[in-house]
């Protein structure tokens, strides 16, 4: 059995993936999916470079994790992402049966975990994982601020 990885270390891995997105000219968001103490999915934003509007960091990481597990459902998995997930990504996490989502910075424009709406709070969903924000929020937010400042 694998030893659990400290949440901070997992968010630092997601931040490293966000740096890859920035290097590719994408909005710097990174995500990892963890099961039984090991990373089984990694992703960073790539909708522009892949011409795919669904290629958010979380979706890319979920796809990789699902392929590794041979199943679209990922019970017992956790997802760490540098930015509060949008509605599309929350929906994918619910469908994948992710047990726990931890995000860094809040997203006041498209955040669906409390910023503009709170989809995880809907009682009508058929799956309810936990969603927690604020892990390394300053560091995650700084990456985004720096990226957009360089674009102006």
């Amino acid at each position: 059995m694998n030893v659990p990885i400290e949440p901070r270390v997992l968010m630092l891995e997601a931040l490293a993936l966000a740096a890859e997105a920035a290097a590719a000219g994408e909005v710097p968001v990174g995500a990892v999916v963890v099961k039984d103490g090991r990373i089984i999915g990694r992703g960073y934003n790539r909708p522009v470079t892949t011409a795919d509007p669904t290629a958010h960091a979380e979706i890319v990481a979920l796809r990789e994790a699902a392929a590794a597990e041979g199943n679209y459902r990922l019970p017992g998995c956790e997802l760490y992402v540098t930015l509060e997930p949008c509605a599309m990504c929350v929906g994918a996490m619910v469908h994948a049966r992710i047990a726990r989502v931890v995000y860094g910075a809040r997203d006041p424009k498209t955040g669906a975990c409390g910023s503009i709406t709170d989809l995880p709070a809907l009682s009508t969903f058929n799956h309810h994982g936990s969603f927690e924000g604020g892990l390394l929020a300053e560091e995650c937010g700084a990456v985004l601020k720096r990226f957009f400042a360089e674009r102006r």
Side-chain angles (χ1 to χ4, degrees):
M1 183 165 156
N2 293 315
V3 177
I5 304 170
E6 180 184 341
R8 179 180 165 79
V9 172
L10 293 165
M11 190 61 78
L12 289 172
E13 177 68 21
L15 275 166
L17 290 163
E20 289 187 47
E26 298 275 5
V27 174
V29 178
V32 296
V33 176
V34 181
K35 182 174 185 180
D36 297 331
R38 64 185 173 84
I39 295 174
I40 62 168
R42 289 177 171 79
Y44 59 85
N45 267 6
R46 50 182 90 164
V48 175
T49 55
T50 62
D52 178 356
T54 69
H56 289 195
E58 302 96 308
I59 302 296
V60 174
L62 286 169
R63 287 177 179 154
E64 187 173 291
E69 291 294 296
N71 193 342
Y72 76 102
R73 292 210 171 139
L74 300 168
C77 291
E78 298 180 342
L79 188 146
Y80 290 78
V81 60
T82 57
L83 184 64
E84 178 182 0
C86 70
M88 174 185 69
C89 292
V90 170
M93 293 168 198
V94 168
H95 285 293
R97 308 295 196 264
I98 295 293
R100 180 176 179 227
V101 176
V102 179
Y103 63 88
R106 294 186 70 76
D107 185 350
K109 296 192 185 235
T110 64
C113 299
S115 287
I116 64 162
T117 190
D118 194 357
L119 292 180
L122 291 176
S123 63
T124 53
F125 275 143
N126 62 346
H127 170 75
H128 293 279
S130 71
F131 286 74
E132 308 162 26
L135 181 61
L136 297 180
E138 287 186 32
E139 293 88 334
C140 293
V143 169
L144 289 157
K145 286 177 185 160
R146 191 168 42 252
F147 176 81
F148 287 112
E150 290 171 2
R151 297 270 178 284
R152 292 183 186 117

